[in-house]
Amino acid sequence: MNPLLPFDEAQRRLIDLANPLEVVSKNASDAVGHYLAEPVVAHRTQPAADLSAMDGYALSGDEPWQLVGESRAGHPFTGSLALGQAIRISTGALMPSGSDRVLIQENANLNGDVLIASEGQPLIGRHIRRKGFDFNQGDQLLSSNLKFGPAQLALTLASGVTSLKVHRRPRLTIIDSGDELSSDPRACSPHQIPASNGAMIAAMTTGLVSKIERIGPVADNLQNLEQSFDRAEQADVIVTSGGASVGNHDLIRPALESWGAKITFWRIAMRPGKPLLVAQHGKQIILGLPGNPVSSFVTAHFFLLPLLRALSGAANPFPRPIQACLGAHLKAGGPRLHFVRATYENGSVTPIEEQDSSALTALSQANALIERPIDCPPGAIGDPVKVYPIQNGGVA
């Protein structure tokens, strides 16, 4: 049997298969969550003129000032200020011609139409948002391959851009396989378990795909598996859960080969998740995830989600680790890279006691994975470790 593929190499080989999907045009508001296929360049200058940064008075020259009008947001003062004149002004309102500073409302004394400063005159240029201080027409505001979110939407619309080029999100088909799986969690015989992995994987991919199709549970035989692959002809990515290991009834690999798929690699030096399989069928990419739910979750986190991001155009699709201090002792590492389920809070990470790859209670309690390198020494309380936050709803 071939040696186990190193984790980093497996990630690299998977992403090497993932050319970003075709480019589509979307209204800016509909592009949220997509990855940009081209930079966003400002069509206008922001602000387009000098504006007041505070409520108060726009001034010209030194005090005392004669009050001659008002500028409100959206309703500018139409005249020009001479030395010794002022107008009332609101935040975001246009600074009138001839003005050179703003006296804030709290520091102003007004006696009839005569204005003086109660705490000294403001410096020239004080409390003014200068034309173009945010961006200028022609500036590149956002780079390609960036994920477009709510703040980027506001920036884009403020720049006068309403239509964007983004990469299409992938279509995903998830296939649950195994004779032991029951499609109805309420009606399981003792020899069965509810088919929950497909639902879990689908939930993990929320916001990363354009369409999800779920198939199964599919019985452990070659014909049924090949038929399920045929049904997934519209998918960019096919994910199977279960049947990827080396047992007599683990048929995902032979079924894929019989179907005409090419196995890219199989079996990774990681724990949990060793049986991970990657294959190609034309332009489709197939991930065979292990059937144990923790293994399925961890391999989806480190392989499926990065693959979907890469196909969507992400420049950096992999999850990013953070540093934390151990809150409990950890034993030495073994022959595979180990991801330990843990709880992270306030810079400290504590392993969960139960690490069995079938234990859903422990998985639901975790909000982080501690990376334990191959053959690393035991970890003591306070030791720095690399931690990957995971999307989970069970930890506040």
Side-chain angles (χ1 to χ4, degrees):
M1 187 173 291
N2 292 332
L4 301 181
L5 191 67
F7 175 82
D8 291 344
E9 183 178 346
Q11 282 192 318
R12 178 188 59 76
R13 289 178 61 177
L14 174 64
I15 297 305
D16 283 347
L17 304 176
N19 295 316
L21 298 171
E22 63 266 28
V23 175
V24 295
S25 295
K26 284 191 173 290
N27 291 329
S29 296
D30 296 329
V32 172
H34 288 75
Y35 289 87
L36 295 174
E38 62 181 27
V40 174
V41 177
H43 287 186
R44 60 180 296 276
T45 294
Q46 175 79 357
D50 291 350
L51 305 177
S52 175
M54 301 289 286
D55 291 333
Y57 298 86
L59 312 174
S60 178
D62 297 327
E63 64 180 345
W65 300 280
Q66 184 73 29
L67 190 64
V68 296
E70 183 177 12
S71 180
R72 294 184 290 123
H75 300 276
F77 178 74
T78 57
S80 179
L81 294 188
L83 292 176
Q85 290 184 331
I87 62 165
R88 191 183 302 275
I89 197 164
S90 58
T91 301
L94 191 71
M95 294 289 293
S97 174
S99 60
D100 56 21
R101 71 195 88 177
V102 172
L103 174 67
I104 63 173
Q105 182 70 43
E106 300 91 311
N107 294 342
N109 283 336
L110 187 64
N111 184 7
D113 289 336
V114 178
L115 176 69
I116 60 173
S118 62
E119 297 185 6
Q121 298 185 104
L123 297 175
I124 290 178
R126 185 68 169 152
H127 303 309
I128 298 175
R129 293 174 182 159
R130 293 298 184 187
K131 176 183 177 180
F133 97 89
D134 198 353
F135 53 81
N136 287 284
Q137 183 178 356
D139 286 350
Q140 179 176 311
L141 304 179
L142 301 171
S143 61
S144 57
N145 306 117
L146 178 81
K147 189 173 184 180
F148 192 73
Q152 290 76 28
L153 171 63
L155 173 63
T156 297
L157 294 177
S159 75
V161 176
T162 59
S163 180
L164 298 171
K165 299 289 188 182
V166 299
H167 290 284
R168 176 175 69 80
R169 286 174 173 163
R171 298 180 291 262
L172 175 67
T173 295
I174 302 170
I175 302 172
D176 273 314
S177 69
D179 290 343
E180 77 280 13
L181 298 181
S182 169
S183 59
D184 187 354
R186 301 164 300 178
C188 279
S189 300
H191 64 281
Q192 293 181 306
I193 57 173
S196 60
N197 281 2
M200 176 182 69
I201 294 165
M204 293 176 73
T205 65
T206 299
L208 292 175
V209 296
S210 62
K211 180 182 179 181
I212 297 178
E213 180 184 17
R214 290 187 57 199
I215 298 174
V218 178
D220 286 324
N221 69 69
L222 290 175
Q223 183 178 6
N224 285 356
L225 287 169
E226 287 185 52
Q227 289 174 349
S228 69
F229 296 144
D230 284 335
R231 287 176 56 187
E233 62 180 355
Q234 298 299 318
D236 301 293
V237 176
I238 301 172
V239 174
T240 65
S241 177
S245 193
V246 295
N248 292 336
H249 302 287
D250 288 305
L251 300 178
I252 291 297
R253 179 174 180 174
L256 284 170
E257 290 175 328
S258 177
W259 183 53
K262 176 184 176 182
I263 307 301
T264 304
F265 60 84
W266 178 44
R267 304 178 77 239
I268 312 300
M270 65 179 292
R271 175 187 175 199
K274 180 176 73 173
L276 177 72
L277 178 149
V278 172
Q280 286 181 282
H281 185 262
K283 293 185 178 180
Q284 293 177 306
I285 301 174
I286 303 101
L287 270 67
L289 306 186
N292 277 320
V294 175
S295 303
S296 193
F297 183 98
V298 173
T299 49
H301 181 75
F302 286 110
F303 290 90
L304 173 60
L305 302 189
L307 172 63
L308 297 175
R309 296 186 194 106
L311 289 170
S312 300
N316 299 298
F318 295 115
R320 297 181 180 180
I322 59 176
Q323 287 290 118
C325 293
L326 275 177
H329 294 283
L330 272 177
K331 63 182 181 181
R336 288 181 278 155
L337 185 70
H338 188 189
F339 292 102
V340 178
R341 276 79 73 204
T343 56
Y344 171 82
E345 186 176 7
N346 298 327
S348 177
V349 63
T350 302
I352 291 173
E353 183 175 350
E354 181 56 74
Q355 292 292 316
D356 188 273
S357 60
S358 68
L360 280 169
T361 300
L363 177 62
S364 74
Q365 294 167 349
N367 65 353
L369 298 171
I370 303 171
E371 180 181 309
R372 300 294 287 156
I374 293 172
D375 295 330
C376 66
I381 293 175
D383 282 354
V385 288
K386 186 185 291 186
V387 173
Y388 289 89
I390 56 175
Q391 48 175 323
N392 233 347
V395 181

